[in-house]
Amino acid sequence: MAESSMKTSTREFADVTRDETSLRRFLHGLPGVDAVGVEQRSAGLGTRSIKKASKMHAIDLAISMVDLTTLEGADTPGKVRSLCAKARRPDPDRPEVPKVAAVCVYPDMVETAVAEVSGTGVGVASVATAFPSGRSSLRIKIADTEFAVEAGATEIDMVIDRGAFLSGQYGRVFDEIRTIKAACGNARLKVILETGELATYDNVRRASWLALLAGGDFIKTSTGKVSPAATLPVTHVMLQAVHDWHAATGEPRGVKPAGGIRTTKDAIRYLVAVNEVAGPRWLDPRLFRFGASSLLNDLLMQRRTQLEGHYSGPDYVTVD
């Protein structure tokens, strides 16, 4: 896109966020999502098969896109250290297996994770802003974010106030995202929409654009604590949003489906969607992630199967 066009688009978006009325007009002026169409397209892309050589590449790419996650009340420093060891070297017997993109932990576990992955290129993501409900004051959410960043988090996964969004308080949600973005400093911000609570594809599209307008570096489907979590049709809508944002501004933003993606077959379906909807540029850990805990196990087992010609069960990899 020409520089003058990008400047025009940026100025137009600044006008969009000038006040609540302008923001509402823009979000409700977005084209409606054809629910039948997006579900049929998702189903069609999900049936595509790929050749063995391409499957190996897809598996390695998917491994490199994983945010290896533990978000349980019973998390301990020992569990986080084990998670980080797996993130650094997913298959100890095969050093050529790529490391994952990041580990994702609660803020109080960030310091432990940072010490374990320092110098490896594995990022440390931390959930913040009263995860998973988002039900707290803005002051607490800022403090939560700053605590994680000061401990060394390179990425922050924040949750939006779904109650505010669903009641039409778009300006409040926008201001909160923008404030947390500022609190992130140099850390990248992933904005969790919790799509399972948004009810419609139109709401997912509006929430995606709202997060992009407010400065989110990634839009993320889910906390993993609400069902349904990530789905292919919802991810299609979000991929289309970042594609359209890039077309309008020249700025690439990322997408992170999280929750319920457990198998290699699932992961490859998502990669096909990324390529077809957003474009091949998004086949990169800087622009697409999987939020997962058990997915990595299946990717490693299927990778061994591709190399050895027979199924490698869980005895051959560390299973979380």
Side-chain angles (χ1 to χ4, degrees):
M1 180 180 290
E3 183 179 358
S4 60
S5 297
M6 284 194 287
K7 287 182 178 179
T8 299
S9 295
T10 302
R11 185 165 58 249
E12 287 174 355
F13 287 143
D15 291 341
V16 160
T17 60
R18 183 179 60 249
D19 54 42
E20 181 81 41
T21 300
S22 299
L23 190 56
R24 177 183 299 277
R25 184 183 302 115
F26 175 80
L27 293 176
H28 282 270
L30 292 169
V33 179
D34 177 358
V36 173
V38 76
E39 289 171 2
Q40 287 181 341
R41 189 180 186 199
S42 297
L45 293 176
T47 64
R48 291 192 181 179
S49 60
I50 61 175
K51 296 179 180 179
K52 181 175 180 179
S54 297
K55 188 171 184 180
M56 276 295 295
H57 173 71
I59 289 172
D60 280 355
L61 180 60
I63 291 171
S64 75
M65 292 173 161
V66 169
D67 280 1
L68 192 58
T69 303
T70 183
L71 296 171
E72 301 299 332
D75 285 344
T76 64
K79 183 177 181 181
V80 170
R81 283 192 285 269
S82 295
L83 189 82
C84 291
K86 187 169 183 177
R88 296 191 308 264
R89 192 161 178 176
D91 188 339
D93 295 333
R94 296 186 179 277
E96 75 278 9
V97 175
K99 58 185 176 289
V100 305
V103 292
C104 186
V105 296
Y106 278 115
D108 64 318
M109 292 293 169
V110 167
E111 189 173 356
T112 298
V114 168
E116 293 297 313
V117 302
S118 178
T120 67
V122 175
V124 176
S126 179
V127 295
T129 65
F131 178 95
S133 69
R135 310 258 27 112
S136 191
S137 69
L138 181 57
R139 178 175 59 85
I140 295 298
K141 292 178 181 182
I142 293 169
D144 202 24
T145 302
E146 290 177 341
F147 173 64
V149 172
E150 289 168 5
T154 55
E155 301 172 0
I156 294 295
D157 291 28
M158 73 165 287
V159 288
I160 67 167
D161 183 336
R162 283 85 74 189
F165 177 84
L166 290 170
S167 62
Q169 299 178 67
Y170 301 132
R172 176 177 170 180
V173 178
F174 175 86
D175 288 342
E176 189 165 280
I177 296 170
R178 188 167 56 179
T179 299
I180 298 302
K181 172 67 174 174
C184 284
N186 292 327
R188 301 178 78 192
L189 177 63
K190 305 192 198 89
V191 182
I192 307 172
L193 309 181
E194 198 66 286
T195 54
E197 293 184 340
L198 298 187
T200 70
Y201 295 129
D202 285 343
N203 275 341
V204 171
R205 173 170 281 174
R206 290 179 190 127
S208 296
W209 272 91
L210 185 58
L212 296 171
L213 287 164
D217 298 297
F218 269 76
I219 47 176
K220 177 178 172 181
T221 61
S222 329
T223 61
K225 307 297 185 182
V226 170
S227 183
T231 69
L232 265 174
V234 158
T235 304
H236 271 236
V237 174
M238 295 167 67
L239 287 166
Q240 188 66 56
V242 297
H243 173 273
D244 293 346
W245 175 268
H246 179 260
T249 68
E251 300 172 357
R253 305 283 182 89
V255 174
K256 177 180 173 180
I261 305 171
R262 298 185 176 89
T263 69
T264 299
K265 183 179 288 187
D266 288 338
I268 290 175
R269 286 171 176 159
Y270 277 86
L271 293 181
V272 170
V274 171
N275 185 68
E276 295 295 324
V277 180
R281 178 175 183 171
W282 274 260
L283 292 171
D284 186 310
R286 291 171 295 183
L287 291 173
F288 190 79
R289 300 282 183 84
F290 293 105
S293 54
S294 60
L295 171 62
L296 182 58
N297 298 324
D298 193 68
L299 289 166
L300 294 173
M301 287 188 283
Q302 292 299 330
R303 190 181 193 281
R304 286 188 172 223
T305 299
Q306 293 294 307
L307 291 172
E308 298 168 6
H310 59 84
Y311 180 73
S312 295
D315 291 341
Y316 296 90
V317 296
T318 57
V319 176
D320 302 320

